[in-house]
Short mmCIF file of all heavy atoms in Angstrom, two decimals:
data_model
loop_
_atom_site.label_atom_id
_atom_site.label_comp_id
_atom_site.label_asym_id
_atom_site.label_seq_id
_atom_site.Cartn_x
_atom_site.Cartn_y
_atom_site.Cartn_z
N HIS A 1 0.84 -1.23 -0.04
CA HIS A 1 0.01 -0.01 0.01
C HIS A 1 0.89 1.26 -0.08
O HIS A 1 2.01 1.23 0.52
CB HIS A 1 -0.84 0.09 1.21
CG HIS A 1 -2.24 -0.53 1.04
ND1 HIS A 1 -3.11 -0.20 0.03
CD2 HIS A 1 -3.02 -1.30 1.86
CE1 HIS A 1 -4.24 -0.82 0.21
NE2 HIS A 1 -4.21 -1.54 1.32
N ASP A 2 0.40 2.37 -0.60
CA ASP A 2 0.95 3.66 -0.46
C ASP A 2 0.30 4.40 0.68
O ASP A 2 -0.95 4.50 0.77
CB ASP A 2 0.72 4.51 -1.76
CG ASP A 2 1.31 3.75 -2.99
OD1 ASP A 2 2.13 2.88 -2.84
OD2 ASP A 2 0.84 4.11 -4.11
N VAL A 3 1.11 4.92 1.56
CA VAL A 3 0.57 5.53 2.85
C VAL A 3 1.26 6.86 3.14
O VAL A 3 2.42 6.99 3.13
CB VAL A 3 0.79 4.57 4.05
CG1 VAL A 3 -0.11 4.98 5.28
CG2 VAL A 3 0.48 3.10 3.68
N ALA A 4 0.37 7.80 3.45
CA ALA A 4 0.92 9.22 3.94
C ALA A 4 0.68 9.34 5.43
O ALA A 4 -0.17 8.68 5.99
CB ALA A 4 0.21 10.22 3.12
N ILE A 5 1.46 10.23 6.00
CA ILE A 5 1.21 10.70 7.41
C ILE A 5 0.46 12.01 7.28
O ILE A 5 1.03 13.01 6.90
CB ILE A 5 2.46 10.80 8.23
CG1 ILE A 5 3.10 9.38 8.35
CG2 ILE A 5 2.14 11.31 9.60
CD1 ILE A 5 4.37 9.36 9.14
N ILE A 6 -0.79 12.01 7.75
CA ILE A 6 -1.65 13.21 7.71
C ILE A 6 -2.17 13.42 9.15
O ILE A 6 -2.76 12.49 9.68
CB ILE A 6 -2.78 13.08 6.72
CG1 ILE A 6 -2.30 12.96 5.28
CG2 ILE A 6 -3.68 14.33 6.77
CD1 ILE A 6 -3.28 12.68 4.26
N ASP A 7 -1.95 14.62 9.72
CA ASP A 7 -2.44 14.87 11.12
C ASP A 7 -1.82 13.86 12.00
O ASP A 7 -2.49 13.39 12.99
CB ASP A 7 -3.95 14.94 11.18
CG ASP A 7 -4.57 16.03 10.38
OD1 ASP A 7 -3.86 17.11 10.22
OD2 ASP A 7 -5.69 15.93 9.91
N GLY A 8 -0.60 13.45 11.74
CA GLY A 8 0.21 12.59 12.62
C GLY A 8 -0.21 11.10 12.47
O GLY A 8 0.51 10.28 13.15
N LYS A 9 -1.11 10.77 11.66
CA LYS A 9 -1.64 9.38 11.56
C LYS A 9 -1.45 8.86 10.17
O LYS A 9 -1.38 9.65 9.15
CB LYS A 9 -3.05 9.25 11.96
CG LYS A 9 -3.27 9.74 13.47
CD LYS A 9 -4.77 9.59 13.80
CE LYS A 9 -5.64 10.64 12.99
NZ LYS A 9 -7.08 10.68 13.50
N PRO A 10 -1.50 7.48 10.00
CA PRO A 10 -1.41 6.94 8.63
C PRO A 10 -2.71 7.09 7.86
O PRO A 10 -3.74 6.86 8.35
CB PRO A 10 -1.11 5.44 8.86
CG PRO A 10 -1.72 5.18 10.20
CD PRO A 10 -1.54 6.43 11.04
N GLU A 11 -2.58 7.45 6.60
CA GLU A 11 -3.63 7.58 5.70
C GLU A 11 -3.29 6.85 4.38
O GLU A 11 -2.37 7.17 3.76
CB GLU A 11 -3.96 9.06 5.33
CG GLU A 11 -4.90 9.34 4.16
CD GLU A 11 -6.37 9.45 4.62
OE1 GLU A 11 -6.63 9.41 5.85
OE2 GLU A 11 -7.22 9.58 3.76
N ILE A 12 -4.06 5.78 4.13
CA ILE A 12 -3.82 4.94 2.92
C ILE A 12 -4.27 5.75 1.67
O ILE A 12 -5.42 6.19 1.65
CB ILE A 12 -4.60 3.61 2.97
CG1 ILE A 12 -3.95 2.79 4.13
CG2 ILE A 12 -4.44 2.80 1.73
CD1 ILE A 12 -4.66 1.40 4.34
N LEU A 13 -3.38 5.89 0.74
CA LEU A 13 -3.73 6.60 -0.48
C LEU A 13 -4.22 5.60 -1.58
O LEU A 13 -5.02 5.97 -2.45
CB LEU A 13 -2.48 7.29 -1.07
CG LEU A 13 -1.80 8.28 -0.12
CD1 LEU A 13 -0.63 8.96 -0.76
CD2 LEU A 13 -2.84 9.35 0.44
N SER A 14 -3.73 4.37 -1.49
CA SER A 14 -4.16 3.31 -2.42
C SER A 14 -5.34 2.55 -1.84
O SER A 14 -5.75 2.88 -0.71
CB SER A 14 -3.04 2.34 -2.70
OG SER A 14 -2.37 1.93 -1.52
N THR A 15 -5.95 1.68 -2.57
CA THR A 15 -7.01 0.83 -2.00
C THR A 15 -7.05 -0.46 -2.69
O THR A 15 -6.75 -0.62 -3.90
CB THR A 15 -8.40 1.50 -2.17
OG1 THR A 15 -9.41 0.70 -1.60
CG2 THR A 15 -8.80 1.74 -3.59
N PHE A 16 -7.41 -1.55 -1.96
CA PHE A 16 -7.75 -2.87 -2.48
C PHE A 16 -9.16 -2.94 -2.87
O PHE A 16 -9.71 -4.03 -3.23
CB PHE A 16 -7.32 -3.98 -1.61
CG PHE A 16 -5.78 -4.08 -1.34
CD1 PHE A 16 -5.28 -4.52 -0.16
CD2 PHE A 16 -4.90 -3.65 -2.35
CE1 PHE A 16 -3.91 -4.58 0.05
CE2 PHE A 16 -3.49 -3.76 -2.11
CZ PHE A 16 -3.06 -4.23 -0.92
N GLY A 17 -9.94 -1.88 -2.65
CA GLY A 17 -11.42 -1.89 -2.80
C GLY A 17 -11.85 -2.33 -4.22
O GLY A 17 -12.77 -3.07 -4.36
N TYR A 18 -11.10 -1.93 -5.25
CA TYR A 18 -11.50 -2.32 -6.64
C TYR A 18 -11.26 -3.80 -6.86
O TYR A 18 -12.02 -4.51 -7.51
CB TYR A 18 -10.72 -1.48 -7.67
CG TYR A 18 -10.97 0.00 -7.60
CD1 TYR A 18 -10.13 0.85 -6.94
CD2 TYR A 18 -12.18 0.50 -8.19
CE1 TYR A 18 -10.43 2.20 -6.89
CE2 TYR A 18 -12.47 1.86 -8.11
CZ TYR A 18 -11.55 2.69 -7.45
OH TYR A 18 -11.85 4.01 -7.36
N VAL A 19 -10.18 -4.32 -6.25
CA VAL A 19 -9.93 -5.76 -6.24
C VAL A 19 -11.07 -6.51 -5.57
O VAL A 19 -11.63 -7.50 -6.05
CB VAL A 19 -8.57 -6.16 -5.73
CG1 VAL A 19 -8.41 -7.62 -5.62
CG2 VAL A 19 -7.44 -5.54 -6.56
N HIS A 20 -11.34 -6.07 -4.34
CA HIS A 20 -12.41 -6.76 -3.59
C HIS A 20 -13.76 -6.71 -4.25
O HIS A 20 -14.45 -7.74 -4.32
CB HIS A 20 -12.55 -6.03 -2.18
CG HIS A 20 -11.30 -6.20 -1.34
ND1 HIS A 20 -11.04 -5.37 -0.24
CD2 HIS A 20 -10.26 -7.07 -1.42
CE1 HIS A 20 -9.88 -5.84 0.37
NE2 HIS A 20 -9.44 -6.76 -0.31
N GLU A 21 -14.04 -5.63 -4.90
CA GLU A 21 -15.36 -5.51 -5.61
C GLU A 21 -15.34 -6.52 -6.77
O GLU A 21 -16.40 -7.20 -6.93
CB GLU A 21 -15.56 -4.07 -6.21
CG GLU A 21 -16.84 -3.83 -6.79
CD GLU A 21 -16.93 -2.37 -7.29
OE1 GLU A 21 -16.01 -1.85 -7.94
OE2 GLU A 21 -18.01 -1.72 -6.97
N ALA A 22 -14.24 -6.63 -7.48
CA ALA A 22 -14.19 -7.58 -8.58
C ALA A 22 -14.31 -9.02 -8.14
O ALA A 22 -14.86 -9.85 -8.86
CB ALA A 22 -12.90 -7.33 -9.42
N LEU A 23 -13.73 -9.28 -7.01
CA LEU A 23 -13.65 -10.70 -6.50
C LEU A 23 -14.83 -11.05 -5.54
O LEU A 23 -14.99 -12.15 -5.06
CB LEU A 23 -12.35 -10.91 -5.80
CG LEU A 23 -11.09 -10.75 -6.71
CD1 LEU A 23 -9.84 -11.08 -5.79
CD2 LEU A 23 -11.17 -11.67 -7.87
N GLY A 24 -15.74 -10.05 -5.28
CA GLY A 24 -16.82 -10.29 -4.41
C GLY A 24 -16.45 -10.38 -2.91
O GLY A 24 -17.08 -11.08 -2.15
#
């Protein structure tokens, strides 16, 4: 995953959501 630190905490910029949607 690609992750940024925003307001001191990790924020994922990428997502596996599209994969999950395709695979149910």
Side-chain angles (χ1 to χ4, degrees):
H1 266 312
D2 302 340
V3 194
I5 298 181
I6 299 177
D7 294 332
K9 300 179 295 185
E11 169 90 2
I12 295 179
L13 305 181
S14 48
T15 181
F16 295 150
Y18 296 101
V19 172
H20 293 163
E21 185 177 50
L23 299 179

